[in-house]
């Protein structure tokens, strides 16, 4: 967990503003409640070993969404490299199971102060099995352009 968090904290940031804060959740009762932060796609939090909630401050940098996404990506990659299962749970612009915004749900549950905004949650746990590595799909190369679109 420390290595995963450090990978996030060492992330690149626009103008080195680092407009993020992380909340590590390990309490199983809180993880179970957090699993209801989305109307779908967050149920795995109820059985997770931990979750890292990534918050951004739009008053610190207008690049907070991009910067927080880099933090998430770096932690996601470090988890994989460490053999830890992880899942990126989008929080921004999503709806909780009870109809509130995911932002409001997480803010209330974790006591997030203004002006912090939820970007995403990284669910972490030890996988029952390691999935096979995906083969590269050559058709994806059609998405790459040289010099001009």
């Amino acid at each position: 967990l420390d290595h995963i968090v450090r990978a996030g904290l060492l992330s690149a940031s626009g103008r080195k503003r680092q407009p993020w804060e992380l909340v590590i959740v390990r309490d199983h009762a809180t993880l179970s409640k957090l699993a209801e932060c989305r109307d779908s796609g967050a149920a795995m939090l109820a059985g997770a070993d931990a979750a890292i909630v990534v918050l951004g401050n739009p008053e610190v940098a207008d690049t907070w969404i991009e910067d927080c996404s880099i933090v998430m990506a770096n932690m996601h990659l470090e988890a994989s490299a460490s053999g830890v299962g992880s899942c990126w749970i989008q929080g921004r612009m999503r709806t909780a199971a009870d109809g509130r915004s995911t932002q409001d749900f997480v803010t209330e549950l974790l006591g997030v102060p203004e002006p912090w905004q939820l970007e995403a949650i990284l669910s972490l746990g030890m996988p029952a099995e390691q999935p096979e590595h995906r083969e590269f799909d050559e058709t994806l190369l059609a998405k790459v352009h040289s010099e001009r679109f």
Side-chain angles (χ1 to χ4, degrees):
L1 184 58
D2 288 342
H3 289 284
I4 294 167
V5 168
R6 287 175 186 265
L9 294 175
L10 289 171
S11 296
S13 169
R15 296 179 301 198
K16 198 161 172 57
R17 293 280 174 94
Q18 301 172 322
W20 57 70
E21 296 279 335
L22 309 178
V23 178
I24 299 170
V25 179
R26 302 210 61 193
D27 177 74
H28 289 287
T30 305
L31 287 166
S32 290
K33 290 176 189 165
L34 197 56
E36 299 172 22
C37 74
R38 293 264 314 263
D39 56 7
S40 65
M44 84 286 293
L45 286 166
D49 293 320
I52 304 172
V53 179
V54 178
L55 305 160
N57 187 331
E59 294 178 3
V60 172
D62 61 352
T63 57
W64 73 271
I65 294 169
E66 294 86 350
D67 289 351
C68 288
S69 295
I70 295 168
V71 170
M72 282 291 295
N74 283 351
M75 292 191 306
H76 201 38
L77 289 169
E78 179 61 35
S80 179
S82 300
V84 176
S86 63
C87 183
W88 180 318
I89 302 164
Q90 182 63 28
R92 188 174 47 79
M93 300 173 55
R94 297 297 184 261
T95 304
D98 66 6
R100 289 184 285 170
S101 72
T102 300
Q103 167 74 39
D104 289 345
F105 185 98
V106 172
T107 293
E108 183 178 319
L109 180 64
L110 302 180
V112 177
E114 295 266 342
W116 294 96
Q117 298 294 306
L118 174 64
E119 172 57 24
I121 302 166
L122 189 65
S123 175
L124 298 167
M126 297 311 292
E129 59 187 53
Q130 283 292 347
E132 301 252 344
H133 287 284
R134 294 188 312 181
E135 294 295 322
F136 183 73
D137 180 355
E138 296 288 329
T139 63
L140 292 174
L141 291 174
K143 295 184 171 288
V144 179
H145 308 275
S146 181
E147 307 298 336
R148 295 177 54 98
F149 195 91

